[in-house]
Amino acid sequence: MGALTAAGHRVITYDRRGFGQSEPQHPYTYDALAGDLSALVDALDLHDAVLVGFSMGGGEVARYLAKHGSDRIGSVVFAAAVTPYMLHTSGNPEGPLKKTEAAAMAAQLTTNREKFFDGFTTDFFSAGDTLCVSEAQRQEAIGMCLQANKLAALECMASFGSTDFREDLEQVTVPTLVLHGDADGVVPLEGSGQRTHQAIPHSELVVIPAAPHGLNVSHADEFNAALLGFLSR
């Protein structure tokens, strides 16, 4: 946010339903989450907006464009995004998330959310076995995680792991940046960023070397440079 505002851009952020200061509200499907985004865009009467969807948020960007169109949108960014389809199935053999892994994550979060978030934030900010942020930054991320409603976290985890965005991506016609780290162990580049880039022929792909999933923090300078460069074009 600091780099964007310093460059003269207006930045709008919000807490997803059930997270931060937003109250829990069923359902947590991508149709509902994209509807929340649409309501915000309409309420603020935004035009020529740039949607930057990080991780799970990439799915909201894709579903927003597919369901609500691009009349108010100038361009979009998929940053370490879960698109096009995370779940590994017979019809999606390139999907990086196996059903057993998704079930294990849900079970761990259900049993002990503090322990789960401790492990997840480590994976989130690690390239291989190397933690790419300070311990203070990781603890800050855990604090943010603990603001989440537990049921909201579980249901959003199910949504990002099982939602197919392949048809949504076919409807992305605005200028598009795909931004990803090549050491992302949570949403691997090969199963997500590269496939998203391939699915949107006019898109631009920027790969940040040795960057983990949380590259917006661990590799903030490179991330911001890529984002600002795209916005300037």
Side-chain angles (χ1 to χ4, degrees), residues 75-114:
S75 58
V76 296
V77 179
F78 294 94
V82 297
T83 51
Y85 188 11
M86 286 287 289
L87 196 64
H88 181 89
T89 68
S90 58
N92 185 46
E94 295 175 288
L97 181 64
K98 294 183 172 58
K99 291 181 180 180
T100 53
E101 294 170 339
M105 289 173 64
Q108 292 164 9
L109 177 54
T110 301
T111 302
N112 188 329
R113 73 172 190 153
E114 288 80 6

Side-chain angles (χ1 to χ4, degrees), residues 5 9-10 23 27 37 57 67 92 97 99 110 116 122 128 130-131 162 166 189 191 197 210 212 233:
T5 56
H9 297 284
R10 178 188 184 192
E23 294 183 359
L37 173 58
K67 296 280 288 188
N92 185 46
L97 181 64
K99 291 181 180 180
T110 301
F116 172 79
T122 299
T130 302
L131 183 66
S162 62
R166 289 176 292 187
L189 169 66
H197 173 53
R233 292 189 293 279

Side-chain angles (χ1 to χ4, degrees), residues 7 14 21 27 57 62 77 83 86 114 116 118 121 127 135 139 157 169 190 201 227:
Y14 67 100
Q21 298 181 52
V77 179
T83 51
M86 286 287 289
E114 288 80 6
F116 172 79
D118 182 62
T121 53
E135 180 59 18
Q139 290 297 328
M157 183 185 294
L169 293 181
E190 296 77 13
L227 182 54

Side-chain angles (χ1 to χ4, degrees), residues 3-193:
L4 290 168
T5 56
H9 297 284
R10 178 188 184 192
V11 181
I12 301 167
T13 67
Y14 67 100
D15 293 338
R16 182 182 289 118
R17 59 171 66 190
F19 293 80
Q21 298 181 52
S22 293
E23 294 183 359
Q25 181 180 354
H26 284 86
Y28 296 92
T29 62
Y30 268 98
D31 282 355
L33 299 177
D36 291 341
L37 173 58
S38 177
L40 178 66
V41 169
D42 291 348
L44 296 178
D45 194 25
L46 303 181
H47 295 276
D48 198 31
V50 181
L51 300 180
V52 182
F54 172 75
S55 192
M56 180 180 178
E60 275 150 291
V61 169
R63 186 56 51 88
Y64 173 93
L65 291 176
K67 296 280 288 188
H68 303 280
S70 58
D71 288 350
R72 293 178 175 270
I73 308 304
S75 58
V76 296
V77 179
F78 294 94
V82 297
T83 51
Y85 188 11
M86 286 287 289
L87 196 64
H88 181 89
T89 68
S90 58
N92 185 46
E94 295 175 288
L97 181 64
K98 294 183 172 58
K99 291 181 180 180
T100 53
E101 294 170 339
M105 289 173 64
Q108 292 164 9
L109 177 54
T110 301
T111 302
N112 188 329
R113 73 172 190 153
E114 288 80 6
K115 183 178 180 180
F116 172 79
F117 288 142
D118 182 62
F120 184 73
T121 53
T122 299
D123 294 339
F124 194 93
F125 292 118
S126 291
D129 295 328
T130 302
L131 183 66
C132 300
V133 299
S134 68
E135 180 59 18
Q137 288 172 312
R138 193 181 74 86
Q139 290 297 328
E140 182 181 6
I142 292 175
M144 293 177 68
C145 291
L146 292 173
Q147 295 177 35
N149 174 272
K150 187 174 181 178
L151 183 58
L154 281 165
E155 295 199 11
C156 281
M157 183 185 294
S159 290
F160 79 67
S162 62
T163 304
D164 185 349
F165 300 103
R166 289 176 292 187
E167 291 186 1
D168 301 75
L169 293 181
E170 293 175 0
Q171 300 183 58
V172 178
T173 58
V174 296
T176 302
L177 171 66
V178 179
L179 181 56
H180 221 103
D182 67 5
D184 190 332
V186 177
V187 182
L189 169 66
E190 296 77 13
S192 50

